[in-house]
Each structure stands twice: as structure tokens, then as C-alpha cells.
Amino acid sequence: MKVPEEIMKLVETPEFQRLRGIKQLGLASLVYPGANHTRFEHSLGTWYLARRLSQELELPSDEAMLIQLAALLHDIGHGPFSHTLERIYREKLEFHDHMDVSRGIVEGKIEMCESPNEIPEILEELGFKPQEVGDLITGVYREKYLRMIIHGDIDVDQLDYLTRDAHYTGVAHGIIDLERLLTVMKVINGELVIDEKGIEAVEGMLVARSLMYSRVYFHRTVKIAEGMLIRAVEYALDEGDLGEFWKMTDDRLLVELEDLGGYPSDIVKRIRQRKLFKAAVVIGPEDLTSEEKRALTSLYRSSKKRQEKELELADKIGAREGEVILELSIPELILSEPRLKQVEVNVILKDGTIEPIAKVTPLASAIKRRQTPRWVLIIATPKEFIEKIRSVWRNVIFD
């Protein structure tokens, strides 16, 4: 991959170099030891695919460069361990997610590093307004087809992370026909569509995406480890510490938590030694009534309610505060990756008509209906409390 000088100016900024210290898959390396790749190489890969796709689409040079800039910088606002701590943003910070932070950095409203943020100045030197790059990153840009390349149902972000994550985890489910996908996209009537001859490649990507969420991103052990880290950070924030955790790299956050002592330090030691809590309860949607599902959604929406239930469970079984954690999948999945339930990409048929892919192939609709992941609730605790949790959890959670 040969990176041109104008792109290298951005790559060499402290903000972009910081991404070397943020693992792409959070704590997934505890399950998949090869998953140590970072947001740095993912961002470069996304830029490379954006350049390739802009060439395939024969976009004008200004649009091609705009796409490349947004692709390169789309994840520059990620906090430590990538998506792991993002649910805290919505409740404890003024940001909704990492894309809000990315936009703030691009527009010069957020200082992420100790040295001054030069990214807006570099963008302006290249002839682009930081705001239009920010619009593209957050999916509100005026031109739909450009927006879809960065933030659509089939975009360069997903094409890179599925390929990259499958490679580094060794999970073959994520392998997609990347070259084919890049050549079957077209711009018709201001919208990014798929040529009919590329339907199989799109079907393969949709299946890969769904399976990677089940197998890797929402692997129960990964989610337990991430849940433990979330509780340690929440504890620190409640004590008035780590207010700017979202600016840190992975290693810096772990060191800061260790230095606090007490519960945060204990959790970090457990993570470092892989002495994780165990799943005492794993519940699928088929095990719950509609009323119980609503109760779980309510728990997810309020960290205070969730913490109250965790504390009540801990009291019931004689555990310490923080030794029982509730992990809920479906609401988080919809918030963190809404594209997973979207298969609305359009297909241009041989006769020139355009149809939603769900009408062209039943596989797309089937994937949309597929339960991903298969669990909706995990209750995790140290192994000595497993049996006690199993005997009391339902009365406490649905009381």
C-alpha cells in the first residue's frame, strides 16, 4: 500500500498515531489470541478501500479525495478498547458515540492529545472544509451515494473490518469476496447500488457479517470480560476519577485503573491473568416472555437500574459489590451496529429496474430475521457463586 503525501500528513498526526494503542476488537484477544490488530491499521485499510472504490466508480477527483479523507479519519475518535466502553458515553459524557468524537476532532472542537490538533488545518490545506468531512463521517452528508460509501449498508468500513477481523481471529465465517464487491457497486440516480451480477457477493457479506457478530463480537466470554472492564470504569467515574478515560489508549487505561487500587485494580488483575467471571446464566429470547423482554430492555436503558439489580443479586448470594454483572445483547447491538439489521441496499437488474435486495434474494430477509447473537442475557460472577445465582436470579431480575 503506497500512501500519498497528502494522506501521510494526516497519518503522521498524534491523533492518528494514537490509534496504534487501541485494539480493534477490544478484549477479544482473550478468546482469539491473534486478535491484537488495532484501529490504526483498520483506518488505513478503510482508506485504501475507499480509494479503490472511488476509482471503480470513476468519481471526480474532489469527491474521491473527500471519501478518502472521511474513510481515513472515521475512527479517529475511538476510546480505549474500541466499542467496549461506548455505552458509558451516552450516560456519563456529552458524546453519543465515537463518531461524535471523530467529528469533534476533525472540526477542531476536541483536543485528543497534548499537542495542538492540526487535522482541521491539514484538511483546509487540501481544499476541504472540516465540517463536510465530519458530515460524511457521521452519515449526514448531503450526497447520498458518498454517504453510503462511508456509512451505508455495504460500506468500506465493513468491508475492511470483516476481512481484517476474520484474518486475525482465524474465524473463516468472516471471509468475503472483497474484490468482487468493489467491482459490482454503481452510482445510479445519486444512490449507491449493486449490479445484479454481484448478488452472490453481497449475500456472502451479509452472512459473514451476521456470523461474525455471533461468533466473535458477541462471544459470551468476550462480553463478560468487557462487562468487567465497564464496571471498573463506571466505579472509577462514580468515585470522581478517570474523567477523560475516553482520550486514553488501552494500556494507559489499565495502568490508571490499577493505580486506583480497590475494585478497579482487582478487575484489571483478573483481566490481565484471564481469571474472568463465569457465565452462571445464559438466556435466549425463546426463554423469555414479552413482558420479561421489555423488563430487560428497560434495564439496558438505565445503568442505574442495571447496577441496582446487580447489587441486589450480589447481596442475595453474599458476594461483594461488582462481583455480579448483567450483560444484555440485543439493545446494545442495535445501538452499536444498526447496520446489522439493515439489508436495504438496492440492486439494479438487467432490464434497468432497481429493486431492494430483499425482493431479489430471500437470503437477505432471512438474515434480517436471524437472532444475532443467540443470547439476550448473561449473568456472570466468580465461579463460587454460580449455583447461588442460578437459584435466585429470575426472582430478582423480574421482581
Side-chain angles (χ1 to χ4, degrees), residues 298-354:
S298 173
L299 275 186
Y300 180 83
R301 287 178 179 152
S302 169
S303 64
K304 185 179 179 183
K305 284 184 183 177
R306 191 245 310 149
Q307 288 169 338
E308 286 171 357
K309 292 295 183 183
E310 288 173 343
L311 190 56
E312 189 178 346
L313 275 170
D315 286 343
K316 280 265 187 187
I317 64 173
R320 295 182 301 166
E321 179 182 354
E323 287 189 326
V324 176
I325 64 173
L326 305 179
E327 281 299 301
L328 296 140
S329 70
I330 302 305
E332 178 171 350
L333 190 61
I334 292 167
L335 286 167
S336 67
E337 186 46 271
R339 291 173 297 193
L340 189 61
K341 292 298 179 185
Q342 293 175 3
V343 287
E344 308 304 331
V345 63
N346 288 329
V347 178
I348 182 163
L349 304 177
K350 289 175 185 175
D351 63 4
T353 58
I354 295 176

Side-chain angles (χ1 to χ4, degrees), residues 242-291:
L242 296 188
E244 294 197 324
F245 75 90
W246 51 279
K247 292 185 177 183
M248 297 178 186
T249 56
D250 296 359
D251 288 343
R252 171 76 184 277
L253 176 65
L254 293 181
V255 169
E256 294 276 351
L257 287 169
E258 275 185 310
D259 287 349
L260 292 175
Y263 178 73
S265 179
D266 289 345
I267 290 295
V268 171
K269 285 174 186 172
R270 278 184 170 272
I271 290 171
R272 288 197 191 279
Q273 298 169 14
R274 205 184 182 277
K275 292 181 179 177
L276 306 177
F277 294 171
K278 303 296 182 185
V281 175
V282 181
I283 296 296
E286 67 280 356
D287 302 314
L288 298 168
T289 65
S290 297
E291 189 176 332

Side-chain angles (χ1 to χ4, degrees), residues 382-398:
K383 60 183 178 182
E384 60 265 30
F385 298 117
I386 287 176
E387 293 306 319
K388 288 181 180 179
I389 284 287
R390 287 174 178 168
S391 66
V392 302
W393 76 272
R394 194 174 279 272
N395 289 336
V396 172
I397 298 297
F398 300 120

Side-chain angles (χ1 to χ4, degrees), residues 99-373:
M99 288 189 295
D100 279 353
V101 183
S102 294
R103 178 171 195 147
I105 295 168
V106 164
E107 295 181 359
K109 296 174 182 175
I110 292 176
E111 295 288 335
M112 204 71 171
C113 302
E114 292 179 2
S115 51
N117 177 8
E118 296 179 355
I119 289 175
E121 184 181 334
I122 295 171
L123 295 176
E124 286 172 353
E125 285 174 1
L126 292 172
F128 295 92
K129 294 179 181 176
Q131 185 180 350
E132 61 182 338
V133 179
D135 283 349
L136 206 43
I137 288 171
T138 51
V140 296
Y141 191 72
R142 60 185 182 274
E143 295 290 354
K144 186 176 182 181
Y145 64 95
L146 295 180
R147 191 168 72 230
M148 292 173 75
I149 292 171
I150 300 295
H151 200 78
D153 300 334
I154 299 175
D155 55 35
V156 289
D157 178 23
Q158 294 179 83
L159 294 182
D160 183 85
Y161 78 62
L162 287 172
T163 306
R164 192 173 301 278
D165 296 349
H167 175 79
Y168 284 104
T169 58
V171 175
H173 294 321
I175 295 172
I176 60 175
D177 191 349
L178 183 58
E179 292 299 321
R180 183 69 167 162
L181 285 164
L182 288 172
T183 59
V184 296
M185 294 192 205
K186 295 184 175 183
V187 176
I188 305 289
N189 298 329
E191 184 176 336
L192 196 65
V193 300
I194 301 296
D195 193 295
E196 185 178 11
K197 64 186 180 184
I199 286 175
E200 289 81 4
V202 175
E203 287 176 329
M205 183 200 146
L206 296 174
V207 171
R209 185 173 67 176
S210 183
L211 293 176
M212 284 293 283
Y213 272 86
S214 298
R215 184 80 186 277
V216 177
Y217 309 136
F218 274 73
H219 188 289
R220 66 172 70 173
T221 304
V222 174
K223 295 310 291 182
I224 289 171
E226 291 180 349
M228 292 169 66
L229 183 61
I230 289 166
R231 300 321 183 275
V233 172
E234 286 178 339
Y235 184 96
L237 291 173
D238 289 343
E239 294 294 310
D241 300 310
L242 296 188
E244 294 197 324
F245 75 90
W246 51 279
K247 292 185 177 183
M248 297 178 186
T249 56
D250 296 359
D251 288 343
R252 171 76 184 277
L253 176 65
L254 293 181
V255 169
E256 294 276 351
L257 287 169
E258 275 185 310
D259 287 349
L260 292 175
Y263 178 73
S265 179
D266 289 345
I267 290 295
V268 171
K269 285 174 186 172
R270 278 184 170 272
I271 290 171
R272 288 197 191 279
Q273 298 169 14
R274 205 184 182 277
K275 292 181 179 177
L276 306 177
F277 294 171
K278 303 296 182 185
V281 175
V282 181
I283 296 296
E286 67 280 356
D287 302 314
L288 298 168
T289 65
S290 297
E291 189 176 332
E292 288 172 339
K293 288 176 185 174
R294 283 194 293 272
L296 291 184
T297 303
S298 173
L299 275 186
Y300 180 83
R301 287 178 179 152
S302 169
S303 64
K304 185 179 179 183
K305 284 184 183 177
R306 191 245 310 149
Q307 288 169 338
E308 286 171 357
K309 292 295 183 183
E310 288 173 343
L311 190 56
E312 189 178 346
L313 275 170
D315 286 343
K316 280 265 187 187
I317 64 173
R320 295 182 301 166
E321 179 182 354
E323 287 189 326
V324 176
I325 64 173
L326 305 179
E327 281 299 301
L328 296 140
S329 70
I330 302 305
E332 178 171 350
L333 190 61
I334 292 167
L335 286 167
S336 67
E337 186 46 271
R339 291 173 297 193
L340 189 61
K341 292 298 179 185
Q342 293 175 3
V343 287
E344 308 304 331
V345 63
N346 288 329
V347 178
I348 182 163
L349 304 177
K350 289 175 185 175
D351 63 4
T353 58
I354 295 176
E355 295 283 0
I357 194 170
K359 279 191 175 183
V360 180
T361 167
L363 186 57
S365 297
I367 290 167
K368 193 172 183 178
R369 292 192 302 271
R370 180 178 183 265
Q371 180 68 39
T372 308

